[in-house]
Amino acid sequence: MPGRLVRLAGAVALVVASVVAGAAASLGSAMLIVAPPAFLAAGWIVLAAGTVLASRVARAGRTVATVAVVAVTGVGGAFVAVPLGDAARTPADVPGMRSAELSTGSRLAHVRVPPDGPVSGDPIVFLHGGPGVADMRGDLDFFASLAETGREVILYDQVGAGHSERLDDPTAYTLERDRADLEALLEELGVGRAVLIGHSYGGTLAAAFAAEHPDRVSGLVFLAPGAVREHPRAYGTGMVDRLTPQQRNALNGLLFQPRSLFGWLLTQANPRAAHAFAGDREMDARYDRIYEASLPGLFCRVPPAEGDPPRGLGSYTNAMVRRVPDLRPALAGVTAPAIVIKPQCDYLPWTFGTDLVDALPDADLVYLRGAGHSLYVERREEVRSLIQAFLADEELPIPPVSDLTPPPDLDGPTGIEP
């Protein structure tokens, strides 16, 4: 009996090892072969061979071995090969939305809100975050009110997200592509200079555009901004750390479902193979659910009860747009005034805000208590009053900080190396 138990344990260990080896074989093959049937077959063969070896270790009969191979390879293949089946959720309709075909080859959805009253300054262009987290309808609910300042307000979905087109080649999603799209969109809309308001990754994009075209920016507003240089702890765990254990378990169930995890691993091995394996519709639908499950991590306390989470998010642009060059030297040439609003409970590091203040010649940092990463949702009136005062060149209702060291009550990462 002990001998049988040892053989059975060895067989189980071999099956587990063959699952890992099969996944590795598929991923390795995908680095060379884009076609899913080919790289999946490589993993299936390794898994089948491992199961046969496990059957021999267990000294199973031919019939039992055959059943084991069919069961293991069938179940394993189904876990990876069968689409996730999440319901695709179309982004909410936006009145007045149009589509622009740009010189870059991108087709971007956008909406223009005319100034309320006499024109008082350059248009405002809002840049959403993520990358890939487009919520034009929800963002319009907040930013359209800035038309009361006498400025046109423009919102758009970046390529690969929301109502805008998806690219056939996911490797084309880059910060440089987004910067070029913004430039081309302004040309298409006849906008010479603008005030850029960037949230999260939108702040990174605003900084990249200003660094390249300082003469086309008359003001910069950074809301919980993303990175302006490579950072070892730039994204990821902070938002998850803000979730309860139950919320984290629900999120992990979506992230680590075999096909979902395998799809993400494929994007690291060969994004083109990943896109052929699971297309935009499937992965965007899964990303919608992942974002909704992680939503509590974007707030200081609890998400507002009203409103729906964004729909139609861009999975591949979120996975691909990660590399950020050091923008700080070029930002020294940007003379436009800037304000950085850093929330108390932001999951992004404190240094993301101070990097901008240190690099820009005319920038202030405002510390907003009681707000998380989605600060203009959680603290609408405070954020609106700060932006309006900045645009009018008036005294800010919340004074800027004079000391750029992390505040004692900061409820988020500092980003400062120990």
Side-chain angles (χ1 to χ4, degrees), residues 79-299:
F79 269 129
V80 172
V82 176
L84 293 169
D86 299 322
R89 298 187 285 187
T90 305
D93 292 335
V94 179
M97 186 184 74
R98 297 176 179 270
S99 183
E101 297 279 353
L102 304 182
S103 58
T104 57
S106 299
R107 185 175 68 251
L108 302 186
H110 65 280
V111 63
R112 307 179 74 167
V113 182
D116 186 359
V119 176
S120 66
D122 294 329
I124 296 168
V125 180
F126 173 68
L127 311 175
H128 67 73
V133 181
D135 183 21
M136 189 186 293
R137 184 66 191 89
D139 292 336
L140 185 65
D141 182 56
F142 176 84
F143 290 101
S145 66
L146 296 179
E148 298 173 358
T149 65
R151 297 170 183 264
E152 181 184 24
V153 179
I154 301 169
L155 294 87
Y156 75 98
D157 290 344
Q158 295 155 26
V159 68
H163 294 276
S164 291
E165 74 164 341
R166 271 58 173 170
L167 301 178
D168 293 332
D169 181 0
T171 64
Y173 294 121
T174 62
L175 173 61
E176 176 56 27
R177 172 67 175 253
D178 286 334
R179 187 208 60 75
D181 280 350
L182 173 56
E183 180 181 359
L185 180 64
L186 294 181
E187 295 288 346
E188 179 71 19
L189 301 183
V191 176
R193 282 163 53 90
V195 174
L196 300 182
I197 300 179
H199 175 235
S200 193
Y201 169 73
T204 302
L205 176 55
F209 182 86
E212 184 77 13
H213 301 288
D215 57 322
R216 300 196 62 180
V217 176
S218 57
L220 291 161
V221 179
F222 298 95
L223 307 175
V228 292
R229 60 181 171 100
E230 289 292 340
H231 196 288
R233 291 179 286 186
Y235 298 98
T237 59
M239 181 172 60
V240 177
D241 287 345
R242 300 193 62 81
L243 302 178
T244 66
Q246 294 80 5
Q247 292 167 339
R248 195 175 299 129
N249 289 338
L251 175 61
N252 288 338
L254 296 170
L255 292 171
F256 295 108
Q257 190 274 349
R259 182 175 171 89
S260 181
L261 176 61
F262 184 71
W264 181 85
L265 291 172
L266 275 174
T267 64
Q268 313 306 304
N270 184 345
R272 294 185 178 96
H275 195 253
F277 169 74
D280 293 295
R281 185 178 182 86
E282 179 182 357
M283 297 311 293
D284 287 357
R286 174 50 56 108
Y287 187 38
D288 281 356
R289 293 187 62 195
I290 289 171
Y291 185 84
E292 186 173 357
S294 63
L295 203 61
L298 302 179
F299 293 86

